[in-house]
Amino acid sequence: MAHNKVRVRFAPSPTGGLHLGGVRTVLFNYLFAKKHGGEFVLRIEDTDQTRFVAGAEEYILECLEWCGLIADEGPHIGGPYAPYRQSERKQLYRQYAEQLVENGYAYYAFDTPDELEAMRDREKINGNQSPQYNHHIRHTMRNSLTLTKEEVNELLANNTPHVIRIKMPTDTSVTFTDMIRGEVTFNSGTVDDKVLLKADGMPTYHLAVVVDDYLMKISHAFRGEEWLPSAPVHILLWRYLGWEDAMPEWAHLPLILKPDGNGKLNKRDGDRLGFPVYAMNWTDPRSNEFTRGFREMGFLPEAFVNMLAMLGWNDGTGQEIFSFEELLQKFSIERVHKAGAKFDFEKAKWFNHQYIQKKTGEELATLFAPVLDEKDIQADPATVAVIANLVKDRLHFVNEIWDQGFFFFQAPTTFDNEAVKPKWTPEKQAFFEEWMQQLATVPTFDLATIESSFKNLAAEKGIKVGELQLPFRIMLTGGKFGPAVFAIAEVLGAVETIARIKTALPTFQA
RNA sequence: GCCGCGUUGGUCAAGGGGUUAAGACACCUCUCUUUCACGGAGGAAUCACGGGUUCGAUUCCCGUACGCGGUACCA
């Protein structure tokens, strides 16, 4: 269109935690902008002063930072189109609303909340399911369309509370092209006269989004599908304000649905089904209600982002693991799905698992360090790295290193005796007693040495190696779990290995 | 109710007038391993329904059903 530079924006309302659908919207905006060498703007849509939530803006910023989706302009860093908080732009909007009134595209409405309610009650009695302030009823209300010029001027002069509403045409076809859905058409007559400027002087979303997108030279506007029904209002506003040539291209993103049943995914579903919905932990300062986040649950940001990208988009090749660079290169808004996608937490876990596999033992050890700290366990980072590598392929989350390898850090206190006793024999008892002696004298206590000494002695005694491995495992770990036994022994070292055999041996006798 | 958007296996989905309708997650079987996991080999879908158009429709058109979204001085 009339834009020579790609500029997109994410415009959240700072009213609470950031939903994964919100993060995905940011992602698609970001990828699109960067792919085209454009700019990504963060704009805070805080026009509803009654819904202000302390800390919500900072929280959103932190989420974006965690995901690596940093805005080029925004309230945190400013920019050429500052301010980026709509509450700080308040005085800007009125002139445009008034311009619309002057040109006959909008009007003053003096109806009080009570009068509006009365109107709705009246309409409902007449069988109107959802009464709208529209072309059918605006002539029955108190506004500059029904009042005389003198009355209106007087009301205005007396500072009578009023709003400005758009005057939707009675029967006009409003069509626009959505980058995802193609051509979409609405009849203006089915849309109500949305409030543009509220009684407190703040714009509503409808006015603010158009004015700010224009002023901030936004070239592409991506938002959730829930905005589709109000698109005709926005399109008309662009036209009425005389800015149609500068109107951004639109794309309405499909919704993320709950895994069971139907409907938009919300934080309640996460609580109910046991998975996060917000990017990071969030505690509502008013209710103290806590909602957990993907970050704290143990998701790697790169896995979270990759997973989100695949929720509604794919490159057509079947590839699912994309580095951020690849995403930047291959993303295209046209390949975004039209239909909503049910969120599948199992698949999300799989993505995290994939990214854990890419990490080195050292990286995993670093990420795991806080868990050990919390448990007050001192461990050599190099050893933790070895352990991490050993258990890595069975992890969905970094924290699970503990579940998979706690026995590396503390000796078992109980043993799964039931798994051993039924097959226990004096010969096996003798084997371990003798092997302990041998272990104390091996030159180097490494995997190969341990394993060959174990196997040689077993052969000598005429016992099948397999018969001995499970008991040995249980001696070291307490149960039937963990990575390869000899690898465990190597990490534990000679002293600890012998000590554990010694402790466990007596408990195996029937 | 009205308006809009959508509908390929349990889930994410590729594809698109003629195909054995990809792949992934999950599931099941087998294998490897006398733990679990990983790995490997298999298993399972006629594309919501009804009409058209066409030699031929899962793909195009129209209906219907169903689902979702919206219907606030919230975003």
Side-chain angles (χ1 to χ4, degrees):
Chain A
M1 283 209 165
H3 299 277
N4 42 30
K5 181 155 208 176
V6 169
R7 284 177 58 81
V8 301
R9 100 271 120 138
F10 176 56
S13 174
T15 52
L18 185 59
H19 188 275
L20 80 170
V23 181
R24 191 193 56 174
T25 301
V26 177
L27 214 213
F28 287 1
N29 266 295
Y30 186 94
L31 294 175
F32 182 84
K34 295 306 161 187
K35 179 178 176 163
H36 294 98
E39 284 144 4
F40 170 51
V41 178
L42 176 66
R43 186 173 69 217
I44 302 297
E45 308 229 342
D46 55 350
T47 55
D48 186 352
Q49 297 171 318
T50 64
R51 294 210 306 162
F52 173 80
V53 174
E57 184 183 319
E58 292 73 13
Y59 170 93
I60 290 167
L61 248 9
E62 196 180 341
C63 286
L64 299 194
E65 195 181 329
W66 178 60
C67 294
L69 304 171
I70 309 296
D72 300 300
E73 296 166 28
H76 56 306
I77 37 165
Y81 303 93
Y84 291 91
R85 271 183 213 101
Q86 290 181 332
S87 60
E88 294 169 13
R89 302 167 67 79
K90 181 177 175 184
Q91 44 334 307
L92 253 162
Y93 305 103
R94 176 151 211 124
Q95 56 179 302
Y96 296 108
E98 249 145 31
Q99 178 191 324
L100 290 167
V101 175
E102 275 163 39
N103 295 334
Y105 296 124
Y107 57 91
Y108 296 108
F110 301 93
D111 315 281
T112 65
D114 286 347
E115 287 170 337
L116 287 175
E117 203 182 320
M119 176 275 281
R120 293 196 176 103
D121 289 345
R122 201 188 315 134
E123 286 296 306
K124 276 179 188 160
I125 290 167
N126 293 337
N128 185 345
Q129 295 247 351
S130 52
Q132 294 185 314
Y133 201 119
N134 59 16
H135 65 94
H136 289 299
I137 73 125
R138 65 179 164 232
H139 295 294
T140 69
M141 304 301 284
R142 289 205 306 132
N143 53 51
S144 58
L145 264 21
T146 59
L147 269 21
T148 65
K149 213 172 185 87
E150 291 67 35
E151 288 172 317
V152 171
N153 286 149
E154 193 183 331
L155 253 11
L156 255 22
N158 293 336
N159 285 323
T160 312
H162 64 276
V163 302
I164 292 179
R165 286 180 182 271
I166 185 171
K167 185 179 170 190
M168 291 298 283
T170 306
D171 186 22
T172 297
S173 190
V174 181
T175 298
F176 71 98
T177 302
D178 184 284
M179 294 175 85
I180 296 170
R181 287 151 218 286
E183 210 165 79
V184 182
T185 302
F186 290 84
N187 186 301
S188 65
T190 63
V191 184
D192 62 336
D193 291 351
K194 295 283 183 215
V195 169
L196 264 20
L197 199 75
K198 301 189 257 190
D200 64 1
M202 277 285 195
T204 58
Y205 171 82
H206 303 107
L207 210 220
V209 72
V210 172
V211 169
D212 285 343
D213 281 354
Y214 171 72
L215 260 20
M216 294 181 180
K217 297 193 163 46
I218 299 304
S219 64
H220 299 264
F222 305 153
R223 74 228 300 197
E225 192 185 345
E226 66 268 31
W227 290 108
L228 202 45
S230 55
V233 176
H234 309 323
I235 304 287
L236 251 23
L237 247 19
W238 278 92
R239 189 176 300 165
Y240 293 162
L241 256 4
W243 302 333
E244 202 165 10
D245 288 346
M247 186 170 78
E249 293 197 53
W250 302 95
H252 290 88
L253 273 21
L255 266 16
I256 295 175
L257 279 12
K258 54 188 77 191
D260 58 340
N262 298 297
K264 269 204 281 191
L265 178 69
N266 61 47
K267 66 172 193 281
R268 290 260 165 259
D269 299 312
D271 296 341
R272 183 169 55 85
L273 271 9
F275 59 77
V277 169
Y278 288 168
M280 307 185 320
N281 279 357
W282 166 254
T283 301
D284 188 300
R286 297 161 305 185
S287 62
N288 260 323
E289 187 191 359
F290 170 79
T291 310
R292 69 166 147 179
F294 280 88
R295 182 178 73 173
E296 289 79 3
M297 175 117 199
F299 273 84
L300 267 13
E302 51 273 50
F304 182 56
V305 165
N306 192 155
M307 180 272 289
L308 248 23
M310 299 310 293
L311 222 46
W313 175 84
N314 71 81
D315 75 342
T317 67
Q319 181 178 345
E320 292 189 283
I321 301 298
F322 292 87
S323 68
F324 199 70
E325 281 306 312
E326 286 178 299
L327 247 23
L328 241 25
Q329 193 178 98
K330 299 182 177 177
F331 180 77
S332 72
I333 203 80
E334 289 82 3
R335 283 200 64 88
V336 172
H337 258 265
K338 292 178 171 71
K342 289 184 182 177
F343 179 65
D344 181 358
F345 189 56
E346 289 305 316
K347 188 77 185 244
K349 277 160 66 177
W350 177 80
F351 275 103
N352 210 44
H353 173 260
Q354 293 300 312
Y355 277 83
I356 284 177
Q357 304 319 304
K358 292 171 183 277
K359 295 277 186 200
T360 63
E362 287 73 19
E363 288 169 326
L364 292 173
T366 304
L367 291 165
F368 185 58
V371 177
L372 290 177
D373 281 348
E374 202 180 300
K375 295 181 186 295
D376 220 18
I377 290 171
Q378 313 296 322
D380 170 33
T383 306
V384 181
V386 172
I387 293 167
N389 271 137
L390 248 26
V391 301
K392 187 173 165 174
D393 62 16
R394 62 202 75 190
L395 303 177
H396 281 106
F397 301 108
V398 173
N399 291 2
E400 288 172 347
I401 290 175
W402 180 259
D403 308 292
Q404 296 297 334
F406 61 92
F407 44 82
F408 283 110
F409 306 102
Q410 53 192 32
T413 51
T414 58
F415 303 92
D416 184 358
N417 291 317
E418 295 317 305
V420 185
K421 279 186 180 174
K423 290 182 179 175
W424 195 246
T425 62
E427 289 72 26
K428 290 181 182 176
Q429 175 81 19
F431 168 89
F432 280 103
E433 278 165 5
E434 190 172 337
W435 191 51
M436 265 196 293
Q437 308 301 317
Q438 271 192 27
L439 281 186
T441 63
V442 291
T444 51
F445 196 79
D446 59 28
L447 196 147
T449 312
I450 304 164
E451 187 167 353
S452 61
S453 112
F454 188 92
K455 288 182 175 170
N456 290 153
L457 186 62
E460 204 178 292
K461 296 265 181 200
I463 309 175
K464 289 205 291 191
V465 178
E467 295 273 316
L468 296 164
Q469 278 191 30
L470 187 64
F472 185 37
R473 167 181 301 283
I474 292 171
M475 289 171 182
L476 298 184
T477 69
K480 293 191 280 189
F481 39 69
V485 244
F486 300 113
I488 298 174
E490 181 184 33
V491 173
L492 256 20
V495 175
E496 181 65 17
T497 299
I498 293 167
R500 289 191 185 185
I501 297 172
K502 199 172 282 179
T503 308
L505 219 38
T507 73
F508 286 176
Q509 273 137 347

